[in-house]
Amino acid sequence: MSTLHTVNKSPFTNTGLQSCLDHCKDGDAVLMIEDGVYGALAETVMAERVAGRIGAVSLYVLLPDAAARGLAEKRMLNGIAGVDYEGFVDLVADHDRTLAWL
Amino acid sequence: MSTLHTVNKSPFTNTGLQSCLDHCKDGDAVLMIEDGVYGALAETVMAERVAGRIGAVSLYVLLPDAAARGLAEKRMLNGIAGVDYEGFVDLVADHDRTLAWL
Amino acid sequence: MKFGVVISEGPYTHQAADTAYHFVRAALAKGHEVPRVFFYHDGVNVSTRLSVPPQDERHIQKNWTALAKEHGIDLVVCIAAAQRRGLLDENEAGRQGKDADNIAEGFRISGLGQLIEMGIQTDRLVTFGD
Amino acid sequence: MKFGVVISEGPYTHQAADTAYHFVRAALAKGHEVPRVFFYHDGVNVSTRLSVPPQDERHIQKNWTALAKEHGIDLVVCIAAAQRRGLLDENEAGRQGKDADNIAEGFRISGLGQLIEMGIQTDRLVTFGD
Amino acid sequence: MSEIKKFLYVNRKAPYGTIYALESLEVVLIGAAFDQDVSLAFLDDGVFQLTRGQDTGALGVKNFSPTFRALGDYDVTKLFVERESLDERGLSEADLQEIMYEDEDDGWAEKPSIRIVSRAEMADLMADQDVVLSF
Amino acid sequence: MSEIKKFLYVNRKAPYGTIYALESLEVVLIGAAFDQDVSLAFLDDGVFQLTRGQDTGALGVKNFSPTFRALGDYDVTKLFVERESLDERGLSEADLQEIMYEDEDDGWAEKPSIRIVSRAEMADLMADQDVVLSF
């Protein structure tokens, strides 16, 4: 019984990712989409808070959105997995519910 | 030569007010409108940062927006002045330019 | 598995309708069912047939209309949200005394009950918004 | 003093069009001039005449049309933003081969140059958006 | 349609600046007719939706805050409000409207619909749903 | 129309998630015909608009980032980027596109349009404008 959380806003502008990380439970998954993909960046003012949940929570980034924004995978935090839209579908199917942090 | 800054987003969700306070110059005015009026509240996690600029910067809150949201003036930080739409107009006229922190 | 999808933001303005489109295509490609997509809030603006995007841009409404036709997806536009925002079908236009309508083929206007029903009848509900 | 006003968000969805309306009324009441209001981004959605808000709600489009008529305000809707979002006047509808149009009385569709011109010709420019 | 699912409406946005709070309430009212197990979550800026004393007269927009008090009549009786979200905003339970319902299983006794919960309890609530709608 | 005003376009939003960045660029391109004194400010998430290597192929939306490199042809040559905003996002100037213009007052020498400025310099820039358009 676990939840897929989606975050679609930049963590540098909006507190959605932080609130998501504060509410997701161990074993949940967080998928960063749209402007939310910036949450995957390493060496930012948010990076430590995101990295602190890796392991307890499975973190994913939607690669088409990352590519559009010029985010190379090598710039991302270790432990964040990239998925395409089919991977997004699998994540939805594999978790009991999806919660969008709009 | 001073600037009127308008902020229309909640400081608990969006970094607009913080960025505005980081960029406004001594002698400028900041007017909180729409969901931005929450930035006027005392005893919040944002209050100290807002209060720290009072004096150097003139802070205003649009009262019709505060009333709609149930914010009584007694709940607001000392040193923030309330204005109605006519006061908003005066602020625009009295400053050389208006900068909206959207 | 059956997926229900909610789109809450308008086309071009926000990426929600694009992300949802790619998601639904991928879900169908993997053998899932998407019986209904519900358009709420500014999402109702996706349904206008009057949109004329630049030639080199995707046509969001036409993409949805085509996908729905191909896969039998029920594209439901919330009537309350649509009325506020000026999205009407021929029937509604007549009822409201308006001289024009603007809903595209493949979309139908209905009530919020269709959203709840979608939540009940599908295995997963995914929201794309802002 | 001459004020130029930009509205960047859609009606009902965001408060911008309401705040701008109260601001413009107050400016006029104080003897200022508001020669033009420019609708950009989702702000173009304010101009649809097909909106049917609930009876107990304000009618944002009609309020703007009435205010513009009374005070001679030029309500300009950006053509590029409007085309993407499905806002067309009769002329544009004909040119684009569309079977309906939806722009309300008092609004006119024109180019972004009108925004720049407004910035040049007014003393203050105020933006209402999101 | 006989299956009962747990529906959670997640409210994280302030009222009036945008329409999400109002349109969320419209979904809740329609959804009440479907006899599902409904909960409402108020966290982050969503807690501002429930404040007392909202007066929209000068804005000329509809004050929809009284509608929350009518939710009990629609058998929507579980409004979970996050304590940490209140604290961060300088609010306490006393700043929120009193929202009551009549408990038909307890002789129609009047009971409060608002339940203040911790962030951890809010996370537990979210993890215990079939369908989550976010506004 | 002979008066020259200082116009500042303030870009604080990331590209693609919303349309503001693209529609801001459309204003800049049209505005260039008016022979005003134009500057562009990129701060907060606006700095993401200028990153290299944007590839929107899988999204099926138009990649408008090359348009920034054409701004010089429109005599838009002052792009101010805030250093603190870059730092907070783990970015450096090397992560941004190279955007050049030909300086007609200096024998058409190629010069960089991007100027990295401090937050204090950005504040000074904002305070020195006639018209500020925010996106």
Side-chain angles (χ1 to χ4, degrees), chain B residues 49-71:
Chain B
R49 278 176 278 177
V50 177
R53 292 293 273 149
I54 293 176
V57 172
S58 301
L59 287 165
Y60 300 91
V61 65
L62 191 59
L63 291 176
D65 278 324
R69 291 159 182 81
L71 305 199

Side-chain angles (χ1 to χ4, degrees), chain D residues 3 7 10 18 26 31-32 53 56 58-59 62 74 92 99 105 109 111 129:
Chain D
F3 290 171
I7 297 178
D18 292 299
H32 296 291
D56 57 348
R58 77 280 190 206
H59 198 304
K62 286 189 179 170
D74 185 20
E92 265 295 297
D99 62 347
E105 184 193 342
I109 289 188

Side-chain angles (χ1 to χ4, degrees), chain E residues 15-27:
Chain E
Y16 306 115
T18 52
I19 203 171
Y20 303 103
L22 168 62
E23 291 193 331
S24 170
L25 201 46
E26 293 185 349
V27 179

Side-chain angles (χ1 to χ4, degrees), chain C residues 88-103:
Chain C
L88 301 171
D89 61 14
E90 199 178 341
N91 192 28
E92 265 295 297
R95 217 166 61 84
Q96 303 289 351
K98 295 290 184 181
D99 63 348
D101 63 85
N102 54 356
I103 297 292

Side-chain angles (χ1 to χ4, degrees), chain C residues 9 40-41 84 122 130, chain E residues 5 9 13 20 23 26 135:
Chain C
E9 296 297 325
Y40 197 41
H41 304 309
R84 279 193 183 95
T122 57
D130 184 46
Chain E
K5 283 189 172 186
Y9 298 90
K13 291 175 184 157
Y20 303 103
E23 291 193 331
E26 293 185 349
F135 297 95

